[in-house]
Amino acid sequence: MVLPRLWESFRSHSVHLPFLSSLCTRMLRQVLHRGLRTSFSRLGYFIASHPVFFASAPVLISILLGASFSRYGIEDNVEYLLAPKHSLAKIERNLVDSLFPVNRSKHRLYSDLQTPGRYGRVIITSFRRANMLDTRHTELILKLHSAVTRIQVQRPGFNYTFAHICILNNDKTCVVDDVVHILEELKTARSLNQTNFIITYPITQLKDGREVYNGHQLGGVTVHSKDRVKSAEAIQITYYLQAINPLNDLIAEKWESIFCETVEHFQRLNREVKMYSFTSSSLGEDFQKTSRVSEQYLITSLILVVTLAVLCCSMQDCVRSKPWLGILGLVTVSLATLTAAGIVNLTGGKYNSTFLGIPFIMLGHGLYGTFEMVSSWRKTREDQHVKERTAAVYADSMISFSLTTAMYLVTFGIGASPFTNIEATRIFCRNCCIAIFFNYLYTLSFYGSSLVFTGYIENNYRHSIFCKKVPKPEILQEKPTWYKFLMTAKFSEDTDTEETNSYESHLFLCFLKRYYCDWITNTYVKPFVVLFYLVYVSFALMGYLQVNEGSDLSNIVATETRTITYTTAQQKYFSNYSPVIGFYIYESIEYWNTSVQEDVLQYTKGFVRISWFESYLNYLRKLNMSTGLPKKNFTDILRYSFLKIPQYSHFSEDIIIPKKYNNDVEVVASRMFLVAKTMDTRKEELYDLLETLRRLSLTSKVKFIIFNPSFVYIDRYASSVGAPLQNSCISALFLLFFSAFLVASSLINVWITLTVASVEFGVIGFMTLWNVELDCISVLCLIYGINYTIDNCAPLISTFILGKEFSRTKWVKNALELHGGAILQSYLCYTVGLIPLAAVPSNLTRTLFRCLFLIAFVTFFHCFAILPVILTFLPPSKKKRKEKKHPENREEIECVEMVDMDSTRVVDQITTV
């Protein structure tokens, strides 16, 4: 009889299936939410029962693990950190190395294009834009060249000079830049009063008949009669070194250091010229220099944050004030960071300057969590036991803190996954995950136990700093004035009303409750906030449409360094031509065929060709036109021309890889070097040139590849650097979707998603307007911005959406009163900690400061202006609970009254909620 009745009941209510489904979902959320609250409440009670253990265990773990960080390694391989890990350029480089293995004992003109190796480089110019080819400057440059070649590296038993470690030519002499030969011939011609010596640009001919490329050696060139050089404002000389074994590499590294010292000493002796030195080690050294120049600024930042954290947790009431909790919150963050650093060091990780951003990420997340716990403590009843108050704090604050921590772990975890193509980003995200995980554990244990200790001090009515028993008011009146000031407290016995209002004297809470909440929800303020938001969106859109990808490595080094000064001079004087690009043909083609020769020269049309390959093809074309060149004759010419024709005597390394089959020679690969004319926007043009040549290589008749070492950094950099942000955004959306079952209303996640999108959109736009490019540092900050926004906005949105019985305006005020204090405290501490970062002389820290400051400011703007206004007139709606005596639904009316000059009350606005 029961089953038929249930079936009839189900059939009669089948029309209410959507309602039942919604009800079940709501019940599931409530069950999960209550289960989590109960679990955290029991955890808080357990920690409050064993505070000594939970306070000491994190300290011991941090000391044990962090002690290993005293002997940490430094990652100085910039290519490993900042170049895309999986890029076509690296594959092309491996193919080039296999076809043309670099023989460092027999150097050809541009073999350093495959692997730069060790080198020293100097740009010589003058303050008055003088001609560096005149007699005085020519002699000065040759004098510098002589001083460089005499540099000695002292080793036990032997002193190494440039001649011992230089790259050798075929005649066993050191390879020297052709500009040195040009200057020597120019000096000789002047000494003999010869006026017929002509220098052309960018290719000139030496006395021995060789044509050499000088586009990267002469800068600021003024020409007349087409290509004849009239003057040159700068000259660049490069000294190539061998690094064929560890000892040789060590000596070359020491030589580079002495080379820079020699150039600086020569600069001091000759004030009329300006010299910019650069070596293969300069970029790595200048990248790590950021850490050294940041030390004193980080100490200043720490002092400011500690001071403000103490002030934020202090009150005039000496019993309820919690200054120690402000310091202990920073100690919690420091212990977690130290533990993560120890783990990374023990697992073989190496330190690099991008790690400077980790303490600030920890500061933003950790301090807000601790301030939320203090705010929850203020809402508990003072007549409760400390264990019960701690349990209430954990039940109230740990759910949101756990969800935001999970969001951090997911977003940074995706960034630390193999999907990330930039190694510096992957390492940074991995270390952030470790630090955030331990920060969560230490907040539960160490900071929770610290809260217990301060709770006992408060319950025993002792001074929050000196732990001295505070006398009752009648006894305090007999004490001196200074003693009264130190012992000021609101003494209460058993009055519940007084106890619930004991913490309202806190400066931030008083400001929000008495002034700000009423002002921001005022009807006349709302239109201005909406208008201001539209202006914000307009400027953000303008910046968003101008986003640039920053593949310039000078953006991640300290400012007062060789890399910056050299790069600035190099772009000023040597930006007329792009870097030399290798053009490699990796198939056996019929070089004797005229059509093939035309195809090869067609693909390099528009470039300056700086190898003998073109001349050799032209030589073959002449033979074709005169006698016709069959394959057999071509083989003979190929076999003997290297010996019989002097200008082709060095083809064996630059042009072919011979294979012999029955005394026959087959060309399986060949190469030439190309230079393109560029403008001031060389980086963008070089990237476009790279993509154009690659597309051409896919459709051409001749199989070829192009390569330059700089391609390793710019190849697919935009997609590589943006991938972690895209993946993190997708993972954040998925987490918000699945966490809808853990929150009491799915509308919370909708509002959080919209808020995060608005903040990220604004940060990217204003970041561009503030001259910050999209590189690995700014992308890491944007990933953090997702989590920082959720950290601060989620509690406000949750409190508002879950509120019942009152109007929207009332619940906006309640949300600001409950969570606004913690948000304001963490924002002030975080911003004050960022300010010293702006003064660090480094481009890396400049990017960090600008991005993190924009994230904090835009999030603060949304928390205290945009959300409080928008939520007052957008869903969800608020309806009063049904009364038993009046079952009908009643709507709450919000009326704003105005009083005119005649004291006549007029309803200005009526809003139905």
Side-chain angles (χ1 to χ4, degrees), residues 445-577:
S445 56
F446 178 80
Y447 194 78
S449 59
S450 302
L451 192 64
V452 172
F453 290 129
T454 57
Y456 280 117
I457 294 174
E458 179 183 338
N459 277 19
N460 292 330
Y461 219 71
R462 295 181 178 274
H463 196 281
S464 59
I465 299 177
F466 308 111
C467 299
K468 180 179 176 58
K469 189 77 174 181
V470 177
K472 293 185 178 181
E474 55 270 16
I475 301 176
L476 191 63
Q477 293 298 327
E478 303 173 359
K479 301 295 182 178
T481 304
W482 64 270
Y483 191 86
K484 293 179 183 178
F485 177 77
L486 290 177
M487 293 295 179
T488 301
K490 186 175 182 180
F491 195 90
S492 59
E493 292 291 339
D494 296 314
T495 308
D496 293 341
T497 305
E498 291 183 355
E499 290 198 11
T500 54
N501 298 326
S502 298
Y503 294 99
E504 289 186 0
S505 60
H506 191 279
L507 178 62
F508 293 145
L509 298 181
C510 181
F511 168 73
L512 290 172
K513 189 169 186 178
R514 297 183 183 180
Y515 303 103
Y516 186 77
C517 291
D518 293 331
W519 177 79
I520 196 63
T521 55
N522 189 290
T523 305
Y524 302 105
V525 175
K526 294 178 184 179
F528 292 99
V529 174
V530 174
L531 179 63
F532 194 69
Y533 181 71
L534 294 177
V535 174
Y536 158 82
V537 172
S538 301
F539 277 94
L541 179 61
M542 182 173 62
Y544 188 84
L545 297 176
Q546 304 176 31
V547 174
N548 294 321
E549 292 82 16
S551 58
D552 190 356
L553 297 180
S554 62
N555 291 334
I556 52 95
V557 300
T559 53
E560 301 298 328
T561 56
R562 296 190 185 97
T563 301
I564 296 297
T565 56
Y566 170 81
T567 303
T568 303
Q570 207 275 339
Q571 292 177 351
K572 179 180 180 180
Y573 295 108
F574 299 94
S575 60
N576 288 336
Y577 291 92

Side-chain angles (χ1 to χ4, degrees), residues 110-269:
Y110 295 102
S111 62
D112 58 286
L113 288 174
Q114 297 171 214
T115 52
R118 292 284 184 181
Y119 62 87
R121 189 168 290 159
V122 60
I123 294 176
I124 308 101
T125 183
S126 66
F127 294 99
R128 299 179 181 179
R129 304 184 64 179
N131 181 14
M132 304 306 295
L133 297 177
D134 61 18
T135 304
R136 175 174 175 77
H137 289 99
T138 299
E139 294 179 353
L140 191 65
I141 293 171
L142 292 176
K143 185 178 178 181
L144 172 64
H145 171 69
S146 177
V148 169
T149 55
R150 292 197 306 267
I151 291 176
Q152 292 185 355
V153 178
Q154 297 181 356
R155 296 292 297 174
F158 194 79
N159 292 336
Y160 292 86
T161 64
F162 178 70
H164 296 106
I165 59 175
C166 69
I167 293 178
L168 300 177
N169 217 326
N170 289 337
D171 56 359
K172 303 299 181 181
T173 59
C174 290
V175 172
V176 180
D177 266 358
D178 294 309
V179 69
V180 176
H181 300 305
I182 294 175
L183 294 178
E184 290 175 345
E185 293 184 3
L186 182 61
K187 180 181 179 181
T188 302
R190 285 171 177 165
S191 64
L192 299 176
N193 292 325
Q194 295 178 355
T195 60
N196 59 349
F197 185 79
I198 299 175
I199 303 175
T200 56
Y201 181 81
I203 294 179
T204 190
Q205 188 172 11
L206 300 179
K207 284 187 176 181
D208 59 3
R210 291 190 299 119
E211 289 186 347
V212 297
Y213 170 72
N214 56 28
H216 65 305
Q217 297 170 351
L218 297 180
V221 176
T222 302
V223 298
H224 62 84
S225 301
K226 294 184 179 180
D227 59 352
R228 184 174 179 178
V229 176
K230 181 178 180 181
S231 65
E233 297 179 12
I235 289 179
Q236 179 173 246
I237 305 176
T238 304
Y239 300 90
Y240 299 99
L241 308 175
Q242 293 189 47
I244 56 179
N245 54 60
L247 176 62
N248 195 264
D249 185 73
L250 181 64
I251 296 172
E253 182 180 6
K254 182 64 176 176
W255 189 94
E256 290 178 352
S257 178
I258 301 176
F259 167 78
C260 294
E261 296 173 0
T262 302
V263 173
E264 292 172 358
H265 177 70
F266 198 85
Q267 167 78 74
R268 290 191 294 268
L269 297 178

Side-chain angles (χ1 to χ4, degrees), residues 9 44 66 87 206-207 371 646 728 843 863 870:
S9 176
S87 68
L206 300 179
K207 284 187 176 181
F371 284 139
S728 297
N843 290 332
C863 288
I870 291 180

